[in-house]
Amino acid sequence: MARPPAGPVREASYEAPPNIALVKYWGVRDPERVLPFNSSLSVTLDRFRSRTTVRFDPGLAEDRVALNGAAAVGGPYDGVVRFLDRVRARAGIADRAWVRSDNNFPTASGLASSASGFAALAGAASRAAGLALSDRALSQLARLGSGSASRSIFGGFVEWRAGRRPDGRDCYAVPVLPPDHWPELVDLVLFVQGAPVKEVRSAAAMQWSVATSPRYRQRVREVPRRLARIRAALRARDAARLFPAVMEECDSFREVCETTRPSLDYLTDTSRAILEEVRAIDRDAGRPVAAYTHDAGAHVHVFTLRPDLPTVRRRLGRLPGVAGTQLVRPGPGGRPIPRPSPR
Ligand code: DP6
């Protein structure tokens, strides 16, 4: 994309990380305000970042959006413009914007680029528009672009509270435990070969589940207690309680997907083999050694403690169809990137 022309400086940059949910967000009670049926809890991942710059330009006739170096078109472009419209409405401005967003990880890797992308867009667009938002308000704004983005504003272990109010004022993310809370806990991401490209956004697919899965209501009833168990196990650094609960939650999410009509099947045979091998590792050891979880995609995150990592990596890394592994840890949340000082 050509460099934006110089003009009144209304530009800001923000970078934000992806997250992996231990308790899944899946289904909204209000699609316009993106108010979920249940609270969710995630780990903010270190290493990976989306970095976004927004510049409002009075001379521009329409928004210009570059994602990872290429002009955005279709759904991704429309999603950014809709989001900018919300920011413009709130800030009382009409200017169109230059948006540039780059991930330091491959988008096709299946990492949650909508979470990091919309968190970074929310941070950059709100600042460029002159809105001084608290992190809580920023999480509420990011949510409107992608629900999971509400959690990517914060670091460490983050809970997105569903709230009850119809206006959504009590619906926001809060950090519950800092990134360094449990240094032994690691997440081995297993990338699987031939992971299908997602054709339907999660935001749309989850509403099919709400409408058609006979398991959906039961899941919504169960989640608060499971979330409380997972939060308590994290706080106590208790892997023996945490790992089974994380897998139970992932299985509940997958069951809802599979019983949705049309059925949502995000896994490949390799993903399924990874889940089976994690169960086998736990069985062989006679204790919870690791826990799997996955989002609406084929790659699998496996949580374990550092002393068990060599075994887990050896047994999972050699499974046929595993394209690669990446070790990640809880990391910091989003942050504004200061403008270089003028020379
Ligand atoms: C399965 O809010 O990320 O990852 O923006 O359409 O991609 P899109 O939806 P998003 O849905 C996330 C669903 C999930 C679970 C989770 O992250 O809580």
Side-chain angles (χ1 to χ4, degrees):
M1 191 172 69
R3 272 188 74 79
V9 180
R10 279 203 298 172
E11 176 180 312
S13 301
Y14 192 92
E15 66 168 36
N19 66 75
I20 175 72
L22 301 181
V23 178
K24 311 293 178 187
Y25 149 57
W26 196 251
V28 291
R29 58 183 205 275
D30 180 338
E32 178 59 25
R33 294 187 173 84
V34 194
L35 303 177
F37 279 106
N38 62 263
S39 300
S40 54
L41 191 154
S42 59
V43 184
T44 299
L45 305 179
D46 69 355
R47 284 175 185 274
F48 306 120
R49 289 285 179 274
S50 296
R51 185 181 270 235
T52 300
T53 298
V54 173
R55 180 189 188 107
F56 288 103
D57 180 346
L60 205 56
E62 58 185 12
D63 292 317
R64 301 283 188 89
V65 181
L67 301 178
N68 294 309
V73 291
Y77 176 80
D78 295 343
V80 171
V81 172
R82 257 197 315 275
F83 189 83
L84 291 172
D85 285 342
R86 299 215 199 218
V87 173
R88 280 188 279 256
R90 198 174 294 193
I93 59 174
D95 294 350
R96 305 289 112 180
W98 301 86
V99 176
R100 189 198 149 134
S101 187
D102 296 288
N103 295 336
N104 72 350
F105 56 92
T107 310
S109 71
L111 285 159
S113 61
S114 70
S116 56
F118 276 102
L121 181 62
S126 61
R127 277 162 194 273
L131 297 170
L133 300 181
S134 66
D135 279 352
R136 176 175 293 186
L138 198 53
S139 88
Q140 292 181 306
L141 176 64
R143 185 188 83 217
L144 303 175
S146 171
S148 57
S150 66
R151 299 183 307 238
S152 277
I153 300 299
F154 299 104
F157 301 84
V158 182
E159 201 173 313
W160 170 17
R161 301 204 170 137
R164 288 169 178 275
R165 294 174 57 111
D167 65 7
R169 267 167 55 193
D170 57 354
C171 178
Y172 48 78
V174 286
V176 286
L177 293 162
D180 60 355
H181 169 71
W182 193 353
E184 281 202 307
L185 184 70
V186 292
D187 170 11
L188 184 67
V189 187
L190 293 130
F191 296 107
V192 307
Q193 276 165 16
V197 176
K198 226 166 46 168
E199 280 168 15
V200 179
R201 270 193 73 172
S202 292
M206 61 178 71
Q207 294 309 91
W208 303 351
S209 296
V210 174
T212 67
S213 167
R215 303 284 304 132
Y216 190 78
R217 279 162 191 276
Q218 176 63 22
R219 168 172 163 74
V220 168
R221 275 195 294 274
E222 285 166 12
V223 165
R225 277 168 61 192
R226 197 150 53 223
L227 192 150
R229 272 163 59 207
I230 288 177
R231 193 202 297 115
L234 282 169
R235 191 161 280 149
R237 303 186 189 88
D238 185 345
R241 276 200 293 158
L242 177 68
F243 292 169
V246 165
M247 290 191 281
E248 182 185 304
E249 164 61 13
C250 179
D251 293 346
S252 149
F253 161 64
R254 191 172 57 258
E255 201 186 348
V256 161
C257 291
E258 285 169 355
T259 54
T260 295
R261 293 293 168 259
S263 179
L264 300 167
D265 183 5
Y266 294 113
L267 302 187
T268 66
D269 288 347
T270 301
S271 329
R272 271 182 279 273
I274 295 167
L275 308 192
E276 199 40 54
E277 189 65 9
V278 171
R279 293 184 195 111
I281 292 171
D282 287 359
R283 248 189 338 264
D284 294 349
R287 66 182 169 93
V289 169
Y292 57 72
T293 194
H294 58 80
D295 279 342
H299 308 300
V300 182
H301 293 246
V302 175
F303 285 84
T304 190
L305 299 182
R306 281 216 183 263
D308 291 317
L309 180 61
T311 308
V312 169
R313 202 199 281 265
R314 181 173 46 78
R315 287 188 58 171
L316 298 176
R318 68 178 182 201
L319 292 175
V322 172
T325 62
Q326 172 85 62
L327 194 65
V328 292
R329 299 238 334 112
R335 64 172 190 115
I337 301 169
R339 289 173 60 77
S341 48
R343 266 172 282 171

